[in-house]
Amino acid sequence: MGGLTEQIFGVSTGFIRYSAEHIIPIAIFIVATMFWIARMRTKPEKQRHRSAFYFSLVLAVSIVISTLIKVLRGEFTWKEDLPFHLCNILALLFPFALKYNRRWFYGVLYFWVIVGTFQAILTPDLKERFPHFIFFRYWLVHCGLVSIVLYGIVCLSWKIRAKDIVNAILGANVYMVFSFIVNYFSGGNYFFTMHKPESASLLDHIGPWPWYLLSGQLVMFVLFCLAYVPILIYKMRQKEVSQLGF
């Protein structure tokens, strides 16, 4: 029992990208998301919205619980464990977005999740291996955010517009300023504004610090535009279906 407890809560390193520990969680969430959408898309609107809200609470609570575990074990550090990495913030914000139902907020979250969170899924900045609790939290939050966005578009009829790209870029820059302040006082690297992540990422290809913060603006704009392409295709497909009378 002690060995299992150590595996779940102790020091864990050695996660390998594109191994079974990387691929299996993604595959599980792909199947689970398809099932969730297929099951809920014909349900009454309130039930569809409630389902998304409850799942968003699961993501938010997972952030709170994992932080509390570190505090109780005496492992919490201001430098690394504040919930200010982008995906953690998104997980905490989603319940409020769904509760107050702000359309513009959905637009911003769509681009942040599809571009930022999706990259974190493809190139995870993760050390902990299965069955560590950080391993479970990482995949639950990151894959769960993408699941909610896809569910919102299909089941909740979220309207994502081109002007949301501007809002998403402005919001990202506001958050970058916020992260500079947090990093100054904590000594951390939230939002990777002080240096690049230790593991390989897209930032490795757009210059050294601090120049990648500037060149990243153009990359962000391009990626947000690319993320809008599936929305355009989905809109055109929906229009064709409505014209055919289905």
Side-chain angles (χ1 to χ4, degrees):
M1 188 67 177
L4 179 59
T5 301
E6 184 64 21
Q7 289 180 45
I8 296 174
F9 298 107
V11 176
S12 176
T13 58
F15 174 83
I16 300 173
R17 288 182 181 178
Y18 313 117
S19 64
E21 288 180 318
H22 186 176
I23 303 302
I24 291 175
I26 297 174
I28 290 173
F29 265 92
I30 289 173
V31 174
T33 302
M34 292 174 63
F35 176 79
W36 186 29
I37 290 174
R39 179 177 175 80
M40 296 302 299
R41 65 185 307 174
T42 58
K43 300 292 184 181
E45 181 179 357
K46 285 187 178 180
Q47 189 173 342
R48 283 181 273 132
H49 189 273
R50 188 163 55 242
S51 179
F53 177 69
Y54 288 158
F55 184 55
S56 73
L57 285 179
V58 170
L59 303 188
V61 168
S62 74
I63 298 295
V64 175
I65 289 176
S66 63
T67 303
L68 287 175
I69 289 174
K70 287 210 164 191
V71 170
L72 293 173
R73 290 179 59 84
E75 299 170 352
F76 178 89
T77 65
W78 297 97
K79 183 177 180 179
E80 296 183 352
D81 299 315
L82 291 170
F84 290 147
H85 283 298
L86 179 61
C87 295
N88 292 343
I89 281 288
L90 290 176
L92 294 173
L93 287 178
F94 248 116
F96 295 99
L98 288 163
K99 180 174 178 58
Y100 295 106
N101 202 26
R102 296 291 185 264
R103 194 220 62 80
W104 67 270
F105 204 17
Y106 296 146
V108 170
L109 294 178
Y110 169 80
F111 289 105
W112 286 8
V113 168
I114 294 302
V115 172
T117 305
F118 198 71
Q119 181 184 328
I121 291 173
L122 293 179
T123 58
D125 184 27
L126 179 67
K127 302 185 295 291
E128 291 81 3
R129 302 188 62 184
F130 176 90
H132 199 273
F133 76 95
I134 295 295
F135 174 90
F136 285 105
R137 187 210 65 187
Y138 187 93
W139 292 113
L140 173 63
V141 168
H142 289 81
C143 292
L145 287 171
V146 175
S147 296
I148 290 181
V149 164
L150 297 178
Y151 178 90
I153 292 170
V154 178
C155 296
L156 302 179
S157 300
W158 288 358
K159 305 299 182 186
I160 312 300
R161 299 167 183 166
K163 67 179 182 180
D164 292 325
I165 294 174
V166 177
N167 293 334
I169 291 174
L170 290 174
N173 279 277
V174 169
Y175 188 68
M176 182 171 67
V177 172
F178 170 76
S179 69
F180 268 120
I181 297 171
V182 172
N183 290 333
Y184 176 80
F185 287 103
S186 69
N189 187 34
Y190 299 103
F191 206 39
F192 303 120
T193 52
M194 308 309 292
H195 59 79
K196 299 176 184 180
E198 296 178 4
S199 55
S201 71
L202 178 62
L203 298 181
D204 295 330
H205 305 287
I206 57 175
W209 185 92
W211 304 113
Y212 70 78
L213 299 175
L214 297 176
S215 58
Q217 301 288 321
L218 177 59
V219 173
M220 178 168 54
F221 174 73
V222 172
L223 292 176
F224 283 178
C225 289
L226 290 175
Y228 189 61
V229 172
I231 296 296
L232 288 176
I233 295 173
Y234 182 73
K235 286 180 177 179
M236 288 188 291
R237 187 166 178 269
Q238 291 294 97
K239 186 176 180 180
E240 290 173 358
V241 170
S242 63
Q243 288 176 343
L244 290 173
F246 293 112

